[in-house]
Structures are given as C-alpha cells and as structure tokens.
Amino acid sequence: MNGALVKAYLTNPDINSQRATVRQTDENVPTANAGYLPKVSAVGTAGVQHANGNEIIPSSPELRYATGAYPRSYGVQASETVFDGYQTINKIRGAESDVLAARETLRNTEQTTLLSGVQAYMDVLQNSAIVDLDRNNVDVLKEQLRETKDRFTVGEVTRTDVAQAEASLASANATLLSDQAVLEASVATYRQVIGDEPKTLAPVKPIVRPLPSTLPEAVNISQVEHPAIVAQEHGVDAALLSIKIAEGALYPQASVSAQVTQAYDVNSTPGMRQFSAQILGQLTIPIYQGGGEYAAIRQSKESLTVQELKADSTRDQIRQNVVASWGRYQAAIGVVKAARASVAANEVALAGVREEAKVGQRTTLDVLNAQQALLSARTQLVRAEHDQVVFSYALLSAVGRLNVPTLGLAVAEYDPTVHFDQVKDKWIGLRTPDGK
C-alpha cells in the first residue's frame, strides 16, 4: 500500500492544486514588501504646436505672423513612502500568517488524500476478497446441486431438496453479480485517488506504533498538532493584523518624491530648452475623511471575532472526530476477533452438517444454511479486517499525524519553504522559480 500512497502523494490533483495555492499565497509577501520600496517611472511627452494670425496697429500696416514648435520633454520621477502608519509592516506580517495558514491547509489536504488512498486501496482489497468468496460459494453450490440431483435420481432426496439447491445457487449468482459491480466502482475510485489501475494488491496490517496509547493523549495531540486547527490559529493572527492595518489609516503619512525633467521648445518657443529638478517631502495628517476608515476598523474587529469562533468550532470538530475515530478503531479490534471465532465455528459446523447429511440426519436445507452461515462469517471477517486497517489510519489522521514521515513513505516530502525563500525578497522578474 505504501507504493500506492506514494503515487497519490506525487500525482493526486488535489494535493498538487493545494501546493500551487501555497505558491500563489507566497507571492503576497513580496507584494506587501513593495510598500517599503521606491516607485520609479520615466515620463516623456512630445507634440506639435502651430499658431498664426494678424495684428492690427493703427496707422501701421497689418502684421501677419505664423509660429510653429515641437514641445517635448523627458524625465524621471521617483517616490518613497517614509511612514504609512505601520501599514506595510503589518501587511507583511499578515501575508506571512496567510502563508503559514496555507501550508497547514496543504498538510490537511495531504492527510485527507492519503486517507482516501488507504480507503480506496482497502476497498479494492476487500471487494476483491468478497468476489472471490462469492465465486467459491457459487462453485460449492454448483457441486451441491449436482450431488443433490444425483441423490434425487436414486431416491435419497425429494424434488424439494433439488429446488432448494437451485434457489441457493441462483441467489449466489445474483450476489456475485452485485458484488462485482461494487468492485468495479471501487477500482474506479482507486484510479481517481491513486492515479493508476490496481494490479496485485498486497494485504495490509493495521498501523499501530504511531497511534496514541490512550484517548486523552490522542485528544491532546490533536488540539496541538492537527493542521486544520493550526491553520485557523494563523487565520486569527492574520485577522488581528488586519485591524492594525485598518488603524494605520488614522496615522500621519509621510513620503518623499523627486523629479528630473529636460524640456525642449518651452512655451512654444523654438529652440528654448529648460532643465528642472525637484525633491519634495510631504506630510499628511488625516483629520476627517468621511468615516470610512472607522467603519473598516470596526469591520476588522468583527472579522477577528468570526475567525476566533471558527477556530473554536474547528477544535471541537477535531476533538469529536478523534473520539469517534478512537471508538471505531477499538470496536474494530473486537469485531475482528469475534469474526475470526465465528469463521472457525462455522467451518466446524458446516463439516458436521455435511457428515450428518450423508447418513440422513440432516436435510439439504440444513447444509445450504450452514454453507450460507460460513459465507456470511467469512464476508464479515473480510469487512472487519478492512475496517480495522482503515480506522487505524483514520485515527492517525484525526490526531494530525498521517503524513510522509510517520508512514515512512519512500518519497521526498514536499517542502513549501523552498519556493517561499525563492520569492520573498524578489524585487523584479516575470518568471516563476519553475520557469513559467
């Protein structure tokens, strides 16, 4: 199964989509960092001017004139924010909190996908075993029907016994067809999650060593380590920083701007040039701007309350999931033991009923019922072993530890910090680190 989980970890679109989302979120940090950097632009103008007319002066000839010029200029202007009410630093911190939350969401997606992989693997394994039991049951019932017909021919049994054997065979064939359809559906799910067709699937044992030894320990671990909870905690941090960003609008704003310009044909005068340079400092002290900034602050405070309540709800949900998973896993252990005992007892019972039927102490119906009881017991054992494995992995997922290191998968764990380090201080460039 580890090989199947490796394939899912590398190729599952849900995991890869969330990885891309984390990389997308990483870019919020250099976006916020832009508030510290200057803004520089080049400016150029060019045009044509023409004027003509006449001027009348008393007792003088009429004076006509025509002028033409090509005014043009070029220059560079730059601006730098000196103080923005701590908005930039809080935006950076908020962006970093968003990145950490996205990473935890990725961890949770990996857990969910790996658990889906376990479920898909075990479903195919279980349904394949059930179909094999059904086929074996059909073969046994065919032989039972043949023997019953032979005994009917020599007068040892009645026509009723033959009809009972035929009815059991028909029912077994119907069950086989139904279980084959279930198997085909589980194979399709396996293909969707793992990304490959199931071939020879090896049996799997429940995972035991990484599981907590007690329920209180499992709950405590989940409340600290589960990625869904950690992601919500980072969301609370980001919401708190949003309040500080909104409050920054009430602080004074200070900036510096500089401009250098070279102009030609100034004032429509051909040949006239002018060079200018300036540097200005600007301080803006907000007094009243319509009240929108106060509404934004109040809104951010309510957003923080919403995020805190979501975090509390997530903690309760995770705790409930841990308790439920613990109960299912513990019950599965007992069910497997009971199912194995049931199979052993039904095997003995079927062997005895068959021997008694040979000497006329049991009817054909008794044999068929014993055969059906053994089939049901074996099917229950297959399902119980399936549930024990799935529930063990589900418990590990519920506490937040269903990951590559814990499972010991032979694959390099995806490291989201690599991309973050590549882009966090990037000032310029269109290409992503992977070349897009």
Side-chain angles (χ1 to χ4, degrees):
M1 185 172 68
N2 283 358
L5 295 182
V6 167
K7 290 180 181 178
Y9 185 79
L10 293 175
T11 64
N12 187 274
D14 292 336
I15 291 181
N16 287 323
S17 174
Q18 189 57 44
R19 288 169 182 166
T21 299
V22 173
R23 295 193 296 269
Q24 178 186 9
T25 307
D26 288 343
E27 297 292 351
N28 290 337
V29 174
T31 299
N33 270 323
Y36 279 140
L37 302 179
K39 297 175 176 59
V40 182
S41 59
V43 179
T45 63
V48 177
Q49 289 184 341
H50 175 77
N52 61 64
N54 62 336
E55 184 177 358
I56 300 176
I57 301 176
S59 66
S60 298
E62 181 181 1
L63 178 63
R64 295 181 177 274
Y65 66 88
T67 61
Y70 300 93
R72 57 202 185 277
S73 66
Y74 62 88
V76 177
Q77 58 187 24
S79 63
E80 171 68 26
T81 300
V82 178
F83 181 72
D84 63 354
Y86 306 108
Q87 293 185 66
T88 296
I89 182 61
N90 287 321
K91 287 179 180 178
I92 294 173
R93 291 171 179 171
E96 290 173 345
S97 293
D98 290 338
V99 168
L100 295 176
R103 291 179 185 176
E104 295 303 320
T105 302
L106 172 60
R107 280 211 305 136
N108 200 39
T109 301
E110 290 175 348
Q111 280 205 148
T112 302
T113 303
L114 290 176
L115 183 58
S116 296
V118 172
Q119 180 79 51
Y121 186 99
M122 293 305 300
D123 284 352
V124 173
L125 204 61
Q126 168 192 262
N127 295 330
S128 297
I130 291 175
V131 167
D132 289 341
L133 289 175
D134 290 341
R135 287 171 177 162
N136 181 70
N137 185 49
V138 168
D139 292 340
V140 170
L141 290 176
K142 285 180 178 179
E143 180 63 21
Q144 180 71 30
L145 176 60
R146 187 191 64 78
E147 292 178 357
T148 304
K149 287 182 176 179
D150 290 343
R151 295 177 65 189
F152 173 73
T153 301
V154 297
E156 293 183 3
V157 296
T158 65
R159 181 63 187 171
T160 301
D161 294 310
V162 175
Q164 289 172 339
E166 290 175 340
S168 295
L169 178 59
S171 177
N173 279 319
T175 301
L176 173 60
L177 292 174
S178 177
D179 289 338
Q180 284 177 333
V182 174
L183 174 60
E184 291 175 359
S186 63
V187 168
T189 302
Y190 182 100
R191 176 66 179 82
Q192 176 189 3
V193 177
I194 305 300
D196 197 3
E197 295 293 335
K199 297 178 182 177
T200 303
L201 304 187
V204 181
K205 294 182 179 180
I207 190 167
V208 178
R209 186 185 306 173
L211 296 179
S213 56
T214 64
L215 177 57
E217 180 186 359
V219 172
N220 291 336
I221 292 174
S222 69
Q223 296 299 296
V224 175
E225 297 185 14
H226 199 284
I229 293 178
V230 180
Q232 291 293 340
E233 290 173 346
H234 288 305
V236 171
D237 293 339
L240 181 60
L241 289 166
S242 294
I243 297 176
K244 296 182 179 181
I245 294 171
E247 291 174 343
L250 300 178
Y251 285 76
Q253 312 287 317
S255 62
V256 175
S257 61
Q259 183 174 356
V260 177
T261 305
Q262 175 67 60
Y264 299 90
D265 288 2
V266 180
N267 297 327
S268 301
T269 304
M272 183 177 180
R273 297 183 299 171
Q274 179 179 316
F275 174 82
S276 63
Q278 67 175 8
I279 181 169
L280 298 173
Q282 180 176 343
L283 176 65
T284 303
I285 301 176
I287 297 176
Y288 183 72
Q289 299 169 299
E293 65 275 19
Y294 299 104
I297 293 171
R298 296 193 301 270
Q299 186 181 50
S300 297
K301 289 181 178 180
E302 294 298 340
S303 296
L304 174 60
T305 301
V306 171
Q307 188 60 44
E308 289 173 338
L309 292 173
K310 286 183 178 180
D312 292 340
S313 177
T314 300
R315 292 188 187 95
D316 292 340
Q317 291 174 3
I318 296 302
R319 186 185 186 282
Q320 183 274 336
N321 192 26
V322 170
V323 174
S325 298
W326 180 273
R328 287 194 295 265
Y329 176 60
Q330 295 299 323
I333 296 175
V335 171
V336 168
K337 292 180 180 179
R340 288 173 179 167
S342 177
V343 169
N346 277 287
E347 287 175 346
V348 173
L350 177 60
V353 170
R354 282 175 173 170
E355 292 299 321
E356 292 172 359
K358 291 179 180 179
V359 296
Q361 294 180 349
R362 293 282 185 170
T363 65
T364 300
L365 181 59
D366 292 330
V367 176
L368 294 174
N369 288 339
Q371 175 67 28
Q372 184 60 42
L374 177 58
L375 175 63
S376 297
R378 286 174 173 171
T379 301
Q380 182 183 21
L381 176 59
V382 170
R383 297 186 189 279
E385 291 175 339
H386 162 277
D387 291 345
Q388 185 181 8
V389 173
V390 172
F391 291 159
S392 67
Y393 281 86
L395 177 57
L396 189 62
S397 174
V399 301
R401 290 184 173 178
L402 185 60
N403 49 47
V404 170
T406 303
L407 298 179
L409 301 181
V411 62
E413 188 176 12
Y414 180 80
D415 186 2
T417 63
V418 173
H419 180 269
F420 178 78
D421 292 337
Q422 290 172 332
V423 302
K424 65 178 180 180
D425 297 321
K426 201 168 185 178
W427 288 18
I428 194 172
L430 300 177
R431 290 186 178 275
T432 61
D434 61 358
K436 293 182 181 178

